Amino acid sequence: GKIHAMGHDWGANIVCMASKMRPEQFKSIGMFSVPDPRLFVKVSASRVPYQFVRSWYIFYHQVPYFPEQGLYGGEFLRKVLPKSYLNYNPERVELISSTFRDMKVVKGALGYYRSLFNIVDGIKLALGMASPDTEMYVETGALTVPVPTLALAGKHDRAIDPKLFEYSVNDNNFPAGHELHYIESGHFVHHEQGEQVSSLIQAFVE
């Protein structure tokens, strides 16, 4: 049957694109802290250009070797993650950072960013050799999200400007319906305001 799918950050990207590829499988989606990836690029370029500065790490993570060395062990994250929260929990930050003692975790995390610039798939697409899934993914470049969407943005998010939501979440881009809420938090809305986020999800899907 159809599902409700909620995602934060990369999870938000995934549920947005999945709902475009298979809208008949979804009752609704939730995108938390990061808007639809196509709208992210469009709005950043046209209305919030300094978002590209905030997103510097996306481009840095394309560089070989150095990102792995910087992230391995978790020390970099111990310094950076607290800035992602309005009121951070030291134990949670340590729990996340400690997982980066495993190089497989490091490479897995970087894989998300490096998949954004997949040159091989781009060449295959240009030559007409792309897989059906790749072709379908490219076809979802339409800016509209075809299922009801719950959008949550952290008011004090230092990584993603909340204005990206203000300028992108509207009837034109979300014709199936939408709700937008600004949460008193940093980037991790579900960590800092878990009860509020849970209540919003429950009200939205009922």
Side-chain angles (χ1 to χ4, degrees):
K2 293 185 177 182
I3 65 170
H4 301 284
M6 308 289 147
H8 173 266
D9 198 285
W10 280 106
N13 283 344
I14 291 168
V15 296
C16 283
M17 299 308 294
S19 72
K20 292 180 181 182
M21 296 170 73
R22 294 281 189 268
E24 71 280 2
Q25 299 292 331
F26 293 85
K27 290 183 178 180
S28 70
I29 64 168
M31 55 180 196
F32 306 157
S33 299
V34 177
D36 172 81
R38 306 294 186 182
L39 293 170
F40 179 101
V41 174
K42 179 184 178 182
V43 173
S44 295
S46 62
R47 305 292 295 273
V48 193
Y50 50 84
Q51 177 60 50
F52 289 118
V53 178
R54 289 191 176 198
S55 300
W56 63 270
Y57 53 90
I58 294 177
F59 305 102
Y60 172 68
H61 289 338
Q62 308 308 313
V63 177
Y65 180 76
F66 294 105
E68 280 87 345
Q69 301 309 308
L71 289 171
Y72 182 66
E75 287 305 319
F76 176 75
L77 289 177
R78 291 183 181 91
K79 296 177 182 178
V80 172
L81 276 180
K83 299 177 182 179
S84 298
Y85 291 87
L86 182 60
N87 297 294
Y88 84 98
N89 181 324
E91 292 181 1
R92 187 185 295 276
V93 168
E94 178 57 31
L95 180 64
I96 297 171
S97 301
S98 63
T99 64
F100 281 72
R101 295 171 184 155
D102 185 341
M103 184 56 77
K104 291 180 180 178
V105 173
V106 175
K107 290 184 178 295
L110 289 172
Y112 283 102
Y113 296 96
R114 290 173 176 167
S115 68
L116 290 173
F117 302 92
N118 193 320
I119 297 174
V120 173
D121 277 349
I123 293 173
K124 287 182 178 179
L125 187 69
L127 296 175
M129 299 168 57
S131 68
D133 284 343
T134 300
E135 291 175 351
M136 185 179 294
Y137 178 86
V138 173
E139 288 172 4
T140 60
L143 297 176
T144 55
V145 176
V147 299
T149 301
L150 173 65
L152 305 182
K155 290 182 181 179
H156 308 282
D157 195 330
R158 297 178 64 174
I160 306 297
D161 194 307
K163 288 182 179 178
L164 291 176
F165 286 85
E166 176 185 345
Y167 295 141
S168 66
V169 180
N170 54 50
D171 292 340
N172 289 331
N173 295 327
F174 295 84
H178 60 83
E179 284 186 18
L180 171 59
H181 299 272
Y182 294 96
I183 308 300
E184 195 66 32
S185 72
H187 185 65
F188 296 95
V189 295
H190 55 311
H191 287 179
E192 295 194 67
Q193 300 294 346
E195 290 187 8
Q196 181 186 6
V197 169
S198 295
S199 296
L200 288 170
I201 293 172
Q202 183 174 359
F204 186 73
V205 302
E206 289 181 343

